[in-house]
Amino acid sequence: MSAPSLVGEARGFSPLLREVREALDSLAFPLELPGSNEARESAAAARAQLTDYILPRLASLDAPLVAVVGGSTGAGKSTLVNALVGRPVSVTGAVRPTTRQPLLLHHPDDGAWFDDARVLPTLSRVRLAADDRADDRADDRADDTADAAAIGSPLPGAPAALHQAAGPDTLLLRPTSSLPPGLALLDAPDVDSIADENRRLAGQLLAAADLWIFVTTANRYADAVPWKLLAEAGRRDVLVAVVLDRVPAGVEEEIRGDLLTLLSAENLGHAPIFVVPEVTLGPSRMLPADAVEPITRWLQALAADADGRRDIARRTVSGAMRALAGRIDAIADAADQEQSAADALQAAMEGAYADALADVLAATEDGKLLRGEVLARWQDFVGTGEFMRSLETRIGRARDRVTAFFTGRPAPAATVAEAIGSGLQTVIVEQAARADETTRRRWRADPAGRVLLQDVPVWDADAVSAEVAREIREWQQDILLLVQAEGADKRFTARMLSFGVNGVAVALMVVVFASTGGLTGGEIGIAGASAVAGQKLLEAVFGDDAVRRLAATARKNLYQRVEALLRRDREPYRQCLRPLGLQTSAEALTVLASRLRTALPAEPTADEA
């Protein structure tokens, strides 16, 4: 795909690249898995390159090329930049790091390209004075003092305002007529700086480069850290030039041959190698002009060829997008691993609380809640003699005798309701505590879960118990309202009033919990009789069909309330996993990477490279 056609395709790329950026923005990788930290860094780097380079470059392929001068600590990057410009513009010295803020040098005619946020939009900008006043040495020295302060060297008399404005994420812009139009030099911090922020910034700048001038030395050209970045440059099809600095006499060919072998292994065998001999720097710490003359001519040739510049920009941005697709695939793999780990943690939590819900519901259906206090209060309420014998006759006579029984010996239904509520509360709280402990035990057994547990508050038994008690009271109130609504018909009003609304509601609660499962011995007979008593009482008021419907409604209401209680109880665990549910899925990332590859031109052949 030619440069003009890529320009034409830029609009077509934009929607896809926006999707890619949104997908990357959503990624959090909240778990602590072996590859999570690397995935976070990779996603951040992909976002930065998309914002700092790919989108701006696609929007303006005719903009000047940005050549980033990068390399290891002490390789002589700033010294090289000064030599290429022809005067001291970048601080050099033995104290590390020397380059704290990136300095972008460009021809004065190209200033408009860099004043806006086209290049590295995430960095703030400070524009420095131009260096075109070579005849006025006093002004030049004042400019150098101000510039040195801005890039981190606190020289005496430096303007404090400029020094404060140039923070670690500040791009310093300086016009210089010694550079040709169409090409800018960007002096970057060390790729292996002792300062974490400098290393991060160096990587960000290199990812935004159209071409990379890699500066190394005769005794450090095989260092591991810069070669990781060189390998990335090879994958991105970035134009790389290698400056082999401080080469002793007599070993140039030997070192050049070994370096070329290393470059070829990283798909960079076509990279030009420039050798700078070992020389003694004078007081100005400037290299002699003839030492960098081959590099100067090469850069001038690139700048003079407009078509060549566009071709370099085209190939670099296409390579960046191709590398981005590969990076997204790797990020998708990490997202898939994290999702699998999160699914396992969620399944452990969901399973524990599902078991708790099942156990609560089983306790409400097997008659166990009619044990002890509940059974005693119910028997006090309905009696065991006359009331039970009355149930042996037909419903009409049973209703008459029950009515007489309640009229003659009233017993408060509230005590039965309280006993039922207390028993139910105990069951729910115990199961909630068990679910919480089971979840914690399972999460502690997982490294990622162990870290997430730090954000889960300690289970508060008192708070849970109070919430459960409130929910039970509301359930019992719902039953009372249910009974009142069912008895609103004139046919049922008299019957219900004769039994008492509270008494009918309590009878419905007993029927909800009535069963002989789980009971033994004499309990079966007593509980069974109690259940029959409640059933007959309700049938005497409402009839068979209504009783079944009322009991089903009350059970469903109870189920929903218990489920809601346990759902709220497990919410702290769900919140820990929530970021994973909001981020782009691994499958969606893989699809985006595939679409990006499909939209790109074919990779260059070896001859084209």
Side-chain angles (χ1 to χ4, degrees):
M1 184 180 292
S2 65
S5 64
L6 186 61
V7 174
E9 291 293 328
R11 291 184 179 179
F13 277 124
S14 295
L16 174 57
L17 291 174
R18 281 196 297 270
E19 285 187 60
V20 171
R21 184 163 57 183
E22 289 172 1
L24 292 171
D25 286 342
S26 77
L27 296 174
F29 294 101
L31 302 186
E32 291 300 328
L33 300 178
S36 292
N37 190 55
E38 182 180 351
R40 292 185 201 106
E41 293 177 354
S42 184
R47 286 193 296 269
Q49 187 175 38
L50 192 58
T51 301
D52 290 341
Y53 179 71
I54 294 176
L55 289 171
R57 177 49 84 184
L58 273 177
S60 52
L61 284 174
D62 288 326
L65 294 179
V66 176
V68 174
V69 182
S72 302
T73 300
K77 300 182 301 299
S78 296
T79 301
L80 176 66
V81 169
N82 290 338
L84 292 174
V85 174
R87 64 188 297 267
V89 291
S90 186
V91 172
T92 63
V95 178
R96 306 297 173 199
T98 53
T99 304
R100 292 179 174 85
Q101 285 86 29
L103 173 65
L104 190 145
L105 301 157
H106 61 84
H107 189 275
D109 293 345
D110 290 337
W113 288 109
F114 303 109
D115 283 332
D116 61 15
R118 188 196 70 80
V119 175
L120 297 163
T122 56
L123 300 183
S124 60
R125 281 159 166 68
V126 171
R127 177 159 286 287
L128 306 179
D131 70 345
D132 295 331
R133 297 169 295 175
D135 293 336
D136 190 342
R137 294 302 178 188
D139 286 347
D140 284 344
R141 286 192 295 272
D143 287 345
D144 291 342
T145 300
D147 293 352
I151 60 176
S153 181
L155 298 180
L162 181 57
H163 179 68
Q164 292 171 358
D169 285 333
T170 299
L171 179 63
L172 306 176
L173 303 174
R174 183 163 193 175
T176 175
S177 58
S178 56
L179 284 180
L183 178 72
L185 288 182
L186 181 54
D187 188 12
D190 303 329
V191 297
D192 58 353
S193 172
I194 58 174
D196 292 343
E197 184 62 24
N198 278 3
R199 291 198 306 274
R200 181 200 63 76
L201 184 57
Q204 180 182 358
L205 297 176
L206 291 171
D210 293 306
L211 60 102
W212 183 15
I213 302 175
F214 170 53
V215 185
T216 187
T217 63
N219 59 358
R220 296 195 60 186
Y221 66 87
D223 285 0
V225 173
W227 276 95
K228 290 181 180 179
L229 294 171
L230 283 168
E232 175 66 18
R235 287 190 291 271
R236 283 180 48 207
D237 197 26
V238 177
L239 177 59
V240 175
V242 179
V243 177
L244 195 56
D245 193 18
R246 299 200 289 271
V247 179
V251 298
E252 174 185 332
E253 292 306 318
E254 178 184 353
I255 294 177
R256 179 193 288 270
D258 189 36
L259 179 56
L260 183 58
T261 300
L262 294 174
L263 289 169
S264 298
E266 299 297 348
N267 194 34
L268 293 170
H270 57 283
I273 300 175
F274 299 99
V275 176
V276 177
E278 189 171 34
V279 297
T280 301
L281 301 180
S284 64
R285 301 189 61 82
M286 289 289 293
L287 285 167
D290 60 351
V292 298
E293 194 268 340
I295 309 172
T296 301
R297 281 191 288 106
W298 181 72
L299 291 174
Q300 288 174 341
L302 288 178
D305 183 1
D307 290 338
R309 291 202 314 270
R310 283 193 296 270
D311 186 60
I312 290 171
R314 173 191 65 80
R315 290 186 58 167
T316 303
V317 75
S318 295
M321 286 192 286
R322 193 173 293 109
L324 177 63
R327 177 171 270 167
I328 291 173
D329 276 332
I331 293 171
D333 290 340
D336 184 59
Q337 293 174 10
E338 187 144 309
Q339 189 60 58
S340 296
D343 289 345
L345 292 173
Q346 179 153 343
M349 177 265 292
E350 298 284 1
Y353 279 89
D355 289 345
L357 177 62
D359 288 345
V360 170
L361 296 178
T364 66
E365 295 170 354
D366 62 9
K368 290 180 181 178
L369 281 174
L370 296 183
R371 290 174 180 268
E373 184 71 12
V374 176
L375 195 58
R377 296 300 182 189
W378 173 250
Q379 290 303 312
D380 287 345
F381 181 57
V382 302
T384 56
E386 180 65 18
F387 180 78
M388 295 303 295
R389 283 193 295 274
S390 71
L391 294 176
E392 298 173 359
T393 63
R394 56 189 179 82
I395 295 297
R397 292 179 57 195
R399 185 179 67 244
D400 295 339
R401 296 193 181 188
V402 170
T403 301
F405 172 80
F406 278 111
T407 303
R409 287 184 10 188
T415 58
V416 185
E418 289 172 2
I420 289 175
S422 178
L424 184 57
Q425 179 182 2
T426 298
V427 169
I428 296 174
V429 172
E430 286 179 352
Q431 292 303 325
R434 183 178 301 174
D436 180 81
E437 176 54 34
T438 299
T439 302
R440 288 179 189 274
R441 184 176 66 252
R442 293 174 180 174
W443 281 31
R444 278 194 295 266
D446 185 286
R450 193 159 49 245
V451 174
L452 290 179
L453 277 176
Q454 297 173 5
D455 296 326
V456 179
V458 175
W459 195 76
D460 189 338
D462 291 339
V464 173
S465 183
E467 186 178 9
V468 170
R470 181 173 59 255
E471 203 72 39
I472 291 172
R473 287 193 300 270
E474 291 178 2
W475 175 70
Q476 291 178 332
Q477 182 64 26
D478 285 347
I479 287 183
L480 188 62
L481 295 174
L482 185 66
V483 167
Q484 289 175 333
E486 188 69 26
D489 190 292
K490 292 182 180 180
R491 293 174 297 170
F492 303 131
T493 301
R495 301 177 191 173
M496 191 168 65
L497 289 177
S498 63
F499 293 143
V501 176
N502 289 341
V504 175
V506 165
L508 181 55
M509 293 178 207
V510 170
V511 168
V512 168
F513 300 134
S515 174
T516 57
L519 300 178
T520 59
E523 289 180 319
I524 295 178
I526 299 172
S530 300
V532 171
Q535 182 84 17
K536 294 300 182 181
L537 190 155
L538 292 173
E539 289 175 354
V541 176
F542 301 119
D544 297 355
D545 291 340
V547 172
R548 284 191 291 272
R549 178 165 41 79
L550 289 170
T553 301
R555 287 193 187 97
K556 181 179 179 180
N557 189 316
L558 179 61
Y559 175 90
Q560 292 173 338
R561 288 184 178 278
V562 174
E563 185 180 38
L565 278 166
L566 295 176
R567 187 167 57 248
R568 291 194 294 272
D569 199 56
R570 71 189 181 199
E571 187 60 25
Y573 297 103
R574 294 174 64 88
Q575 286 297 322
C576 291
L577 299 173
R578 189 170 182 268
L580 276 162
L582 298 176
Q583 68 182 21
T584 307
S585 68
E587 182 180 1
L589 289 169
T590 301
V591 170
L592 284 174
S594 177
R595 290 173 57 196
L596 192 54
R597 285 194 188 89
T598 302
L600 286 169
E603 293 189 59
T605 64
D607 291 339
E608 293 173 331

